[in-house]
Short mmCIF file of all heavy atoms in Angstrom, two decimals:
data_model
loop_
_atom_site.label_atom_id
_atom_site.label_comp_id
_atom_site.label_asym_id
_atom_site.label_seq_id
_atom_site.Cartn_x
_atom_site.Cartn_y
_atom_site.Cartn_z
N VAL A 40 60.29 -32.43 -76.59
CA VAL A 40 59.80 -31.44 -77.54
C VAL A 40 60.67 -31.36 -78.78
O VAL A 40 60.18 -31.21 -79.90
CB VAL A 40 59.69 -30.06 -76.86
CG1 VAL A 40 59.25 -29.00 -77.85
CG2 VAL A 40 58.71 -30.13 -75.70
N THR A 292 61.61 -18.18 -76.12
CA THR A 292 60.87 -18.20 -77.38
C THR A 292 59.55 -17.42 -77.24
O THR A 292 58.52 -17.81 -77.81
CB THR A 292 60.63 -19.65 -77.86
OG1 THR A 292 61.80 -20.43 -77.59
CG2 THR A 292 60.36 -19.70 -79.35
N GLY A 336 65.09 -21.39 -78.51
CA GLY A 336 64.71 -22.79 -78.50
C GLY A 336 63.37 -23.01 -79.19
O GLY A 336 62.93 -22.21 -80.02
N SER A 337 62.72 -24.08 -78.80
CA SER A 337 61.45 -24.47 -79.41
C SER A 337 60.27 -23.84 -78.67
O SER A 337 60.39 -23.44 -77.50
CB SER A 337 61.33 -25.99 -79.37
OG SER A 337 60.08 -26.42 -79.86
N LEU A 338 59.14 -23.78 -79.36
CA LEU A 338 57.88 -23.59 -78.65
C LEU A 338 57.54 -24.91 -77.94
O LEU A 338 58.17 -25.94 -78.19
CB LEU A 338 56.78 -23.18 -79.63
CG LEU A 338 56.94 -21.78 -80.22
CD1 LEU A 338 55.98 -21.58 -81.38
CD2 LEU A 338 56.71 -20.71 -79.16
N VAL A 339 56.55 -24.88 -77.08
CA VAL A 339 56.32 -26.03 -76.21
C VAL A 339 55.69 -27.21 -76.94
O VAL A 339 55.85 -28.35 -76.51
CB VAL A 339 55.45 -25.62 -75.00
CG1 VAL A 339 54.00 -25.39 -75.41
CG2 VAL A 339 55.56 -26.63 -73.88
N SER A 340 54.99 -26.97 -78.05
CA SER A 340 54.30 -28.05 -78.72
C SER A 340 53.92 -27.63 -80.14
O SER A 340 53.82 -26.43 -80.44
CB SER A 340 53.01 -28.43 -77.97
OG SER A 340 52.07 -27.35 -78.04
N PRO A 341 53.68 -28.58 -81.03
CA PRO A 341 53.19 -28.24 -82.37
C PRO A 341 51.87 -27.48 -82.33
O PRO A 341 51.62 -26.62 -83.18
CB PRO A 341 53.05 -29.61 -83.04
CG PRO A 341 54.04 -30.49 -82.33
CD PRO A 341 54.00 -30.01 -80.91
N GLU A 342 51.03 -27.81 -81.36
CA GLU A 342 49.74 -27.11 -81.26
C GLU A 342 49.96 -25.63 -80.95
O GLU A 342 49.28 -24.76 -81.53
CB GLU A 342 48.88 -27.76 -80.17
CG GLU A 342 48.40 -29.16 -80.48
CD GLU A 342 49.49 -30.22 -80.29
OE1 GLU A 342 50.50 -29.93 -79.60
OE2 GLU A 342 49.33 -31.33 -80.84
N ARG A 344 52.72 -23.97 -81.63
CA ARG A 344 53.33 -23.41 -82.85
C ARG A 344 52.25 -22.97 -83.82
O ARG A 344 52.32 -21.89 -84.42
CB ARG A 344 54.23 -24.47 -83.49
CG ARG A 344 54.86 -24.05 -84.82
CD ARG A 344 55.11 -25.26 -85.69
NE ARG A 344 53.86 -25.96 -86.01
CZ ARG A 344 53.79 -27.24 -86.33
NH1 ARG A 344 54.86 -28.00 -86.36
NH2 ARG A 344 52.60 -27.78 -86.61
N ARG A 368 59.70 -23.78 -88.43
CA ARG A 368 60.97 -24.39 -88.86
C ARG A 368 60.97 -25.89 -88.56
O ARG A 368 61.67 -26.37 -87.66
CB ARG A 368 62.13 -23.69 -88.16
CG ARG A 368 62.33 -22.24 -88.59
CD ARG A 368 62.76 -22.14 -90.06
NE ARG A 368 63.99 -22.88 -90.30
CZ ARG A 368 65.21 -22.36 -90.11
NH1 ARG A 368 65.34 -21.11 -89.69
NH2 ARG A 368 66.28 -23.08 -90.35
N PRO A 369 60.20 -26.66 -89.32
CA PRO A 369 60.18 -28.11 -89.10
C PRO A 369 61.52 -28.77 -89.38
O PRO A 369 61.75 -29.92 -88.96
CB PRO A 369 59.09 -28.59 -90.07
CG PRO A 369 59.03 -27.53 -91.13
CD PRO A 369 59.32 -26.25 -90.42
N GLY A 372 62.90 -28.84 -85.74
CA GLY A 372 62.13 -29.66 -84.82
C GLY A 372 60.65 -29.38 -85.01
O GLY A 372 60.26 -28.40 -85.66
N PRO A 373 59.78 -30.23 -84.45
CA PRO A 373 58.35 -30.14 -84.75
C PRO A 373 57.65 -28.88 -84.25
O PRO A 373 56.56 -28.56 -84.74
CB PRO A 373 57.77 -31.39 -84.07
CG PRO A 373 58.80 -31.81 -83.09
CD PRO A 373 60.12 -31.39 -83.62
N ALA A 374 58.25 -28.13 -83.30
CA ALA A 374 57.54 -26.98 -82.74
C ALA A 374 58.33 -25.67 -82.83
O ALA A 374 58.06 -24.72 -82.11
CB ALA A 374 57.16 -27.26 -81.28
N PHE A 375 59.30 -25.61 -83.73
CA PHE A 375 60.12 -24.40 -83.83
C PHE A 375 59.44 -23.35 -84.71
O PHE A 375 58.78 -23.66 -85.70
CB PHE A 375 61.50 -24.74 -84.41
CG PHE A 375 62.44 -25.30 -83.39
CD1 PHE A 375 62.39 -26.65 -83.04
CD2 PHE A 375 63.38 -24.50 -82.76
CE1 PHE A 375 63.25 -27.18 -82.10
CE2 PHE A 375 64.24 -25.02 -81.81
CZ PHE A 375 64.17 -26.37 -81.48
N PHE A 376 59.65 -22.07 -84.32
CA PHE A 376 59.11 -20.94 -85.07
C PHE A 376 60.11 -19.81 -85.02
O PHE A 376 60.71 -19.53 -83.98
CB PHE A 376 57.77 -20.48 -84.48
CG PHE A 376 56.96 -19.61 -85.41
CD1 PHE A 376 56.08 -20.17 -86.31
CD2 PHE A 376 57.08 -18.22 -85.38
CE1 PHE A 376 55.33 -19.39 -87.17
CE2 PHE A 376 56.34 -17.43 -86.24
CZ PHE A 376 55.46 -18.01 -87.13
#
Side-chain angles (χ1 to χ4, degrees):
V40 177
T292 321
S337 176
L338 291 168
V339 73
S340 67
E342 293 77 18
R344 176 209 61 204
R368 293 294 302 274
F375 280 81
F376 197 88

